[in-house]
Amino acid sequence: MKTHRALPLSVLVLASGCGGYQSALGAKGAPAIHVEHLIVGIVAVCTVIWILVMMMLVLALVRARRSVASQATGSEKPLTVAVSAAIAATVVIIAGMTIASFYTTRNIGLPDSTALTVTVRGQQWWWQVFYADSPAGPGFQTANEIHIPVGRDVRLRLESPDVIHSFWVPSLAGKQDLVPGRTNSLLLRAEKPGVYRGQCAEFCGLQHSHMAILVIAETQAAFEGWAATQRLDAAGSADPDIAAGQASFMAKPCAACHTVRGTPAGGTTGPDLTHVGGRRTIAAGLLETTRGSLAAWIADPQTLKPGNNMPMVPLTSIELRNISAYMESLK
């Protein structure tokens, strides 16, 4: 009785992983929709084949009960025809799946000539994102978030300076590796506004599982507004805590590793923090961006994400409070 109850429960638990905002079966972009159609088609064909095989097996078991003499009489010709038909069907099915896979691959990898180009560089363990110069203004960089306009092709240039990573946002596109010394491309297109979560899908070291990325699909106007904000230098503040936090940030090793445009901080080892307060998460999806999580990360990044390249910088409680206020203000 317990086994009968556990089986449906296990099926429900497994099925729950087929939905959500990080699911290949919850396709919201053209490339992912093509892949979903291919998956569903292959599963449907394989299901029909399995049913036919089971029917033939049952038929063979029933016929096995007949006498040896009755089986031998006139049974070779139908058997030969059945085997020949099965071989021909196998060839046709495999060829059909191969052709379908080929055309699906072509459809998910050919952006149009007006595609927005974004460079994504996989680091250990975060994503560095570059937007190139455009008629709207100069290029800029951000981290762990990609904003794209809905209904428009986006060409991702995928690079890696260290190890092999794999970029995968299941709801929008298939996987593509980031290989050191090589630039790969991936077509991204969202048909509906939303926030789509992605993940590094290739084991790349200790914190591989904590290397998420968010793709925010929004209207063209909202995207242009976001991009215009990203092009701006960091805004100053008259708030004494924020001003003190900026002074502490510049005096500590933070400024040697991070860039905050509009200030002397010009480090390139870590993410660009010019607008870090406006991002939804920090540490590649590990924590939501709040003043508390910023303070926790700054105070002891190695406890939260062991092995990452950010050292623990000795700070007093007042310095920590002020720097976290400064980080939160960078929007």
Side-chain angles (χ1 to χ4, degrees), residues 27-194:
K28 297 296 188 297
I33 291 171
H34 288 307
V35 173
E36 182 183 29
H37 289 169
L38 178 65
I39 293 172
V40 172
I42 290 176
V43 170
V45 170
C46 291
T47 301
V48 172
I49 293 172
W50 181 83
I51 292 173
L52 291 175
V53 170
M54 292 300 102
M55 291 173 62
M56 292 300 102
L57 177 60
V58 171
L59 181 61
L61 292 175
V62 170
R63 294 185 61 184
R65 295 181 178 181
R66 299 178 182 178
S67 64
V68 176
S70 61
Q71 289 182 14
T73 304
S75 62
E76 290 187 5
K77 186 174 181 180
L79 181 61
T80 301
V81 172
V83 171
S84 300
I87 293 174
T90 300
V91 172
V92 171
I93 291 169
I94 292 177
M97 288 184 176
T98 302
I99 293 171
S101 179
F102 171 76
Y103 280 103
T104 298
T105 302
R106 286 193 63 185
N107 288 333
I108 66 176
L110 296 174
D112 63 29
S113 58
T114 62
L116 170 69
T117 299
V118 179
T119 300
V120 179
R121 187 171 297 158
Q123 306 279 1
Q124 288 182 302
W125 292 273
W126 57 284
W127 302 94
Q128 193 172 18
V129 183
F130 299 89
Y131 287 78
D133 295 345
S134 72
F140 57 89
Q141 70 167 285
T142 181
N144 304 317
E145 281 188 8
I146 302 175
H147 286 242
I148 63 174
V150 172
R152 182 178 173 188
D153 285 353
V154 178
R155 176 176 177 261
L156 299 185
R157 299 179 70 255
L158 303 174
E159 304 173 351
S160 173
D162 40 50
V163 299
I164 296 176
H165 301 280
S166 184
F167 183 93
W168 189 31
V169 183
S171 295
L172 297 181
K175 300 177 185 176
Q176 183 61 270
D177 285 347
L178 293 79
V179 181
R182 176 178 176 177
T183 299
N184 289 335
S185 295
L186 180 69
L187 171 63
L188 210 63
R189 182 186 176 98
E191 302 299 338
K192 295 182 179 180

Side-chain angles (χ1 to χ4, degrees), residues 232-236 260-263 273-275 326 330-331:
L232 299 175
D233 290 343
V260 178
R261 296 196 310 274
T263 75
L273 300 180
T274 305
H275 298 288
Y326 175 54
L330 297 175
K331 298 181 178 179

Side-chain angles (χ1 to χ4, degrees), residues 253-270:
C254 315
C257 293
H258 297 280
T259 291
V260 178
R261 296 196 310 274
T263 75
T268 58
T269 303

Side-chain angles (χ1 to χ4, degrees), residues 201-224:
E202 178 79 24
F203 181 73
C204 56
L206 181 63
Q207 291 299 325
H208 160 69
S209 61
H210 292 148
M211 190 173 170
I213 189 166
L214 295 179
V215 176
I216 294 94
E218 51 203 356
T219 64
Q220 183 68 35
F223 169 75
E224 291 174 356

